[in-house]
Amino acid sequence: MVGTHTVAAGETLSALALRFYADAELHRLIATASGITDPDAIRVGQQLIVPDFTRYTVRAGDTLPGLASRFYDDPSLSPLIATASGMTELEAVDVEQHLIVPDLTRYTVRAGDTLSGLASRFYGDVSFSPLIATVNGIADPDIVDAGTMLTIFVGRSDGFGLTIVDSNEDDPRMWYYRFQTQAIGWNPRVNVLLPDGYRTSGLSYPVLYLFHGGGVDQDFRAFDFLGIRDLTAGKPIIVVMPDGGHAGWYSNPVNSFVGPRNWETFHIAQLLPWMDANFRTFAEYDGRAVSGFSMGGFGALKYTAKYSGHFASVSSHSGPASLRRDFGLVVHWANLSSAAVELGGGTVYGAPFWNQARVTADNPVQRVDSYRNRRIFLVAGTSPSPVDWFDSVNESEVLAGQREFRARLGDAGIPHEAHEVPGGHVFRPEMFTIDLDGIISRLRPAASV
């Protein structure tokens, strides 16, 4: 939800811009979003909207109407860029000039809508309805006609234990955030991949949470390197790809000697509600899916069972589904890998003695009833490289564990889709494409709400 502020005694727009943006010159942005014609005249108790924005450097051939068309799909909104950037509407832009492009969405009024209701929806406070009216030139805030196209200033704000310390929304689709959180001893990051036209569509979308695998080269960028932009092109879904630690195992560990590494808390208690508050999502069971590769595939299965009201679809691409088989090989690997590269000698499940209750709670084959009424998609390789010990042991264990899991699902009468395919422990784009189409078919379709 976009940031808002009520003016206190002694405050100025410049001081507030310095506080919220670390740049006093951005007082014009707050004024533009709040319908203020004189930035030097604000009063105690006045309500302000503090939107997000994009910094844009002018290129040869750019014009204000052209940029408004690019960012908003509406050249008539060029005055918003001009005002926020301290220009006049008719002023020409120069190459290398820096502009401020306010973040906004377009909303088409439907029968029964009121500005008070829309203010509550977008700003969390019905009293912000006069600002919507002012910005959109509506004379009477109590009257708004169905079919009217409104300009609504939006943005991402702190909340749910997350403080944004870095962000980049310049790309049309891939937006980046870095957070400070007490759940993690460093500042974890997330890539949010948006559907084409998100800025201007006004639609709400289903969300896929996509988790990377383990390894010192694995982080929030892993799926970008694997071509996720092309794989999702034209698909009406938001894809959220967070850090999960090099060997975090999507868990709150039994112990850590390098500070907090509570990835389960970060993903479920913080990031998920933050996404629903700051993006146009369906904040409901039928609006979310979870998937992942390797360690991330395990995380997807684990979160689905432990948080039964969160995800309507779960997918595991070469992710382990059985923790105790083969004398607990997966648990031992989770403990060893987390101790080595994640927890400074600490472990996910405890050593030398496991926290047995935690293992059981995380073990998909022991939580079979928790997967009822969900779409389930599983992938495992059948021919890992015989000369690559890691590949062979990893995928052989994945295949055996998924077969055990599938057998228990079958015994319980729970439908599922499973694929055994040639190869070893690798991410398979062709299987992800099949999976993504199934996810979109299962979830609530993108729509205006």
Side-chain angles (χ1 to χ4, degrees):
M1 185 174 291
V2 67
T4 60
H5 179 74
T6 301
V7 177
E11 290 183 331
T12 65
L13 280 188
S14 294
L16 291 172
L18 187 63
R19 170 182 167 185
F20 287 110
Y21 300 127
D23 186 346
E25 290 299 313
L26 289 177
H27 68 276
R28 303 184 191 92
L29 174 61
I30 301 175
T32 301
S34 304
I36 297 173
T37 55
D38 184 357
D40 295 323
I42 60 173
R43 65 184 186 280
V44 174
Q46 185 172 357
Q47 292 170 306
L48 306 176
I49 295 172
V50 186
D52 278 357
F53 65 95
T54 296
R55 293 186 187 272
Y56 180 78
T57 302
V58 175
R59 301 170 185 170
D62 280 339
T63 64
L64 285 179
L67 292 172
S69 181
R70 171 183 168 185
F71 282 96
Y72 306 139
D73 202 28
D74 188 345
S76 71
L77 295 181
S78 60
L80 297 179
I81 301 175
T83 304
S85 302
M87 303 171 57
T88 65
E89 180 183 352
L90 300 178
E91 192 174 339
V93 295
D94 299 320
V95 174
E96 298 300 320
Q97 182 178 352
H98 299 295
L99 300 179
I100 300 299
V101 182
D103 197 358
L104 57 84
T105 190
R106 308 303 303 281
Y107 180 81
T108 302
V109 176
R110 296 184 295 174
D113 278 341
T114 64
L115 289 191
S116 294
L118 294 175
S120 178
R121 172 181 169 186
F122 287 103
Y123 302 132
D125 189 337
V126 297
S127 66
F128 277 82
S129 59
L131 274 68
I132 299 177
T134 299
V135 167
N136 289 280
I138 298 173
D140 187 346
D142 295 324
I143 301 175
V144 59
D145 297 326
T148 301
M149 179 74 78
L150 300 179
T151 296
I152 306 290
F153 288 87
V154 295
R156 265 53 59 193
S157 59
D158 299 339
F160 308 97
L162 300 178
T163 300
I164 301 171
V165 295
D166 190 22
S167 65
N168 189 323
E169 298 178 353
D170 292 353
D171 190 273
R173 293 187 60 207
M174 186 74 84
W175 293 2
Y176 155 84
Y177 305 92
R178 187 166 192 152
F179 301 104
Q180 183 180 63
T181 166
Q182 292 185 356
I184 307 296
W186 51 279
N187 296 338
R189 304 148 299 181
V190 59
N191 271 340
V192 178
L193 183 58
L194 301 169
D196 296 312
Y198 175 86
R199 285 186 186 271
T200 58
S201 72
L203 302 178
S204 293
Y205 294 89
V207 180
L208 167 62
Y209 289 84
L210 185 57
F211 298 141
H212 65 76
V216 294
D217 60 341
Q218 297 296 298
D219 59 25
F220 75 109
R221 302 167 297 176
F223 290 102
D224 200 14
F225 297 148
L226 291 168
I228 192 68
R229 301 184 198 217
D230 290 338
L231 292 172
T232 58
K235 304 293 185 180
I237 192 168
I238 296 171
V239 183
V240 182
M241 296 163 285
D243 272 324
H246 296 318
W249 286 89
Y250 297 90
S251 298
N252 294 347
V254 167
N255 50 22
S256 169
F257 299 114
V258 290
R261 296 291 188 273
N262 296 313
W263 292 107
E264 188 170 337
T265 296
F266 171 59
H267 295 139
I268 300 298
Q270 298 181 329
L271 181 61
L272 190 149
W274 183 86
M275 281 296 306
D276 286 337
N278 286 282
F279 288 84
R280 299 193 308 273
T281 68
F282 298 120
E284 59 187 53
Y285 171 75
D286 285 326
R288 303 190 197 98
V290 62
S291 180
F293 168 66
S294 188
M295 181 183 78
F298 163 74
L301 290 171
K302 166 188 168 172
Y303 286 168
T304 298
K306 292 187 74 172
Y307 303 94
S308 60
H310 284 34
F311 305 106
S313 176
V314 57
S315 315
S316 181
H317 294 257
S318 288
S322 179
L323 300 185
R324 297 184 186 276
R325 66 172 296 108
D326 296 328
F327 306 102
L329 181 60
V330 174
V331 176
H332 287 304
W333 177 242
N335 276 343
L336 287 170
S337 59
S338 63
V341 301
E342 184 76 16
L343 303 172
T347 62
V348 169
Y349 290 111
F353 302 106
W354 301 347
N355 182 319
Q356 296 292 342
R358 182 169 297 193
V359 173
T360 298
D362 289 0
N363 194 1
V365 299
Q366 293 181 267
R367 302 294 305 275
V368 166
D369 281 344
S370 299
Y371 296 93
R372 293 189 185 277
N373 303 315
R374 287 168 175 75
R375 173 186 175 271
I376 303 169
F377 185 93
L378 303 168
V379 178
T382 59
S383 52
S385 171
V387 297
D388 185 331
W389 177 88
F390 179 83
D391 186 61
S392 182
V393 171
N394 234 326
E395 200 64 10
S396 295
E397 189 65 21
V398 164
L399 179 61
Q402 286 197 9
R403 285 175 172 173
E404 179 186 352
F405 183 50
R406 286 155 42 194
R408 298 199 184 190
L409 291 172
D411 291 343
I414 299 175
H416 55 280
E417 180 179 352
H419 298 266
E420 294 187 2
V421 292
H425 197 66
V426 295
F427 177 74
R428 297 170 171 84
E430 69 280 4
M431 296 309 303
F432 177 80
T433 299
I434 295 170
D435 183 22
L436 183 61
D437 288 340
I439 289 169
I440 293 172
S441 295
R442 172 60 184 85
L443 298 186
R444 182 175 174 181
S448 178
V449 296

